[in-house]
Amino acid sequence: MYRFSNTVIGFLNLFTLLASIPIIGAGLWMARSSITCENFLQTPLLVIGFVVLVVSLAGFIGACFHVACALWLYLVVMLFLIAALMGLTIFGFGVTSKGGGVEVPGRVYKEYHLQDYSPWLRKRIQDPRYWSTIRSCILGSKTCEKLASWTPLDYMQRDMSPIQSGCCKPPTACTYNMAAMMMTQDPDCYRWNNAPNLLCYECDSCKAGVLEDIRGNWHKLSVLTVTMLVLLIGIYSIGCCAFRNTKRAETDYPYGENRMTKVRPRWDYHCWRWLHDRREQLY
């Protein structure tokens, strides 16, 4: 079983090393795209890809070639990566615990209200620069054009995505006859405009629909981070065994037959030597 953990961690890191290449490639491809929402993921993808690449390379070299300093670097970075993933998972569940749609009587789709979401998400989505980028992204995706051919019956029977429900139509409760104009309505009713490049893109319901979409994606990401967290903890444990084996290989005390020349005595050598000399003197 000597060096079994080194072999296992070598293969595991070779696999993650190869897996980091398409992650980095996807991030670079997204960096060249300026008309889709995918450019929001380019920075996380590139960061994750390069971190996985560097950590896997250090672990692979350290485990397969018994380089103790590379394995030490691998374990330190892996520890920080595990802590970061754990913090991200807890934070993700915390900020996405609130939210969800509200049933609309007589409709299949749901509607969303900005005040139902966490303060951190609301502050983020209400930043004018951030919202301007998201608005351009939604316009470029032509999400609302899919509803242009809908009939009134379609609005009664068909479902919508959160972004379509919030950005492509006014709130269902809005009425636009003369009598209703004298009544107090949802502020989004007055923000609605029939122009294809305006619609309800400045409505709070549109921002809430975007947050609901982010909330759903973040829940999926949290499941992935939990899985990755368990995997990284397992690899980290094997890495500790590989580091211990590598350190033993540099001293006079490896497992099995000693096939190396002594470089330096182990930390307890002088203590045992002194006890042995004292015993010789007594007997």
Side-chain angles (χ1 to χ4, degrees):
M1 298 296 290
Y2 175 54
R3 295 173 183 165
F4 174 73
S5 57
N6 298 59
T7 304
V8 172
I9 200 171
F11 278 108
L12 287 174
N13 282 283
L14 178 61
F15 174 75
T16 54
L17 180 67
L18 296 175
S20 68
I21 296 176
I23 295 176
I24 296 174
L28 294 174
W29 180 80
M30 288 179 181
R32 299 181 60 183
S33 175
S34 59
I35 60 173
T36 66
C37 294
E38 292 171 332
N39 55 11
F40 288 105
L41 298 175
Q42 70 185 45
T43 301
L45 276 177
L46 288 173
V47 171
I48 292 173
F50 278 112
V51 169
V52 171
L53 177 66
V54 173
V55 172
S56 300
L57 186 61
F60 181 75
I61 294 174
C64 294
F65 298 97
H66 310 293
V67 181
C69 60
L71 264 180
W72 180 84
L73 176 64
Y74 166 82
L75 292 175
V76 171
V77 176
M78 184 69 75
L79 183 61
F80 279 105
L81 189 59
I82 290 173
L85 275 176
M86 188 176 297
L88 176 65
T89 303
I90 296 173
F91 177 76
F93 280 120
V95 299
T96 60
S97 59
K98 297 180 180 180
V102 177
E103 298 285 349
V104 180
R107 301 291 193 275
V108 179
Y109 59 81
K110 296 181 179 180
E111 291 187 340
Y112 306 89
H113 303 289
L114 191 59
Q115 64 270 18
D116 293 339
Y117 294 86
S118 68
W120 186 88
L121 285 177
R122 292 202 308 267
K123 182 179 179 181
R124 178 74 172 171
I125 203 72
Q126 289 174 331
D127 184 346
R129 292 180 299 175
Y130 186 70
W131 179 247
S132 176
T133 305
I134 293 180
R135 185 179 182 276
S136 300
C137 187
I138 297 173
L139 278 170
S141 67
K142 301 181 179 180
T143 301
C144 291
E145 289 187 9
K146 301 173 183 177
L147 276 64
S149 61
W150 279 25
T151 65
L153 185 61
D154 290 328
Y155 281 91
M156 298 285 291
Q157 297 179 344
R158 299 178 67 175
D159 198 6
M160 298 182 187
S161 68
I163 293 178
Q164 289 176 328
S165 175
C167 305
C168 304
K169 65 171 189 59
T172 306
C174 296
T175 54
Y176 292 99
N177 52 44
M178 292 302 298
M181 297 300 291
M182 305 299 295
M183 301 170 55
T184 301
Q185 299 192 84
D186 189 323
D188 285 346
C189 297
Y190 306 106
R191 297 187 182 110
W192 165 258
N193 193 304
N194 284 320
N197 62 332
L198 295 177
L199 299 181
C200 214
Y201 291 129
E202 296 301 327
C203 299
D204 286 346
S205 62
C206 185
K207 297 174 182 177
V210 172
L211 289 185
E212 181 62 26
D213 188 67
I214 294 174
R215 179 174 176 265
N217 292 334
W218 210 326
H219 280 173
K220 298 175 184 177
L221 178 63
S222 298
V223 174
L224 177 63
T225 55
V226 169
T227 304
M228 289 297 298
L229 192 60
V230 174
L231 179 62
L232 288 177
I233 291 175
I235 295 177
Y236 183 80
S237 301
I238 300 174
C240 291
C241 297
F243 180 73
R244 184 178 59 185
N245 289 347
T246 302
K247 293 298 291 183
R248 282 197 181 101
E250 292 181 348
T251 66
D252 191 34
Y253 299 90
Y255 286 116
E257 182 182 356
N258 183 9
R259 295 171 292 177
M260 299 184 64
T261 303
K262 181 185 293 186
V263 178
R264 59 181 179 273
R266 202 170 64 176
W267 62 271
D268 58 348
Y269 170 79
H270 296 288
C271 180
W272 287 107
R273 181 74 183 194
W274 180 82
L275 290 174
H276 179 268
D277 292 340
R278 294 294 295 175
R279 193 185 320 174
E280 291 291 332
Q281 291 176 5
L282 291 175
Y283 299 102

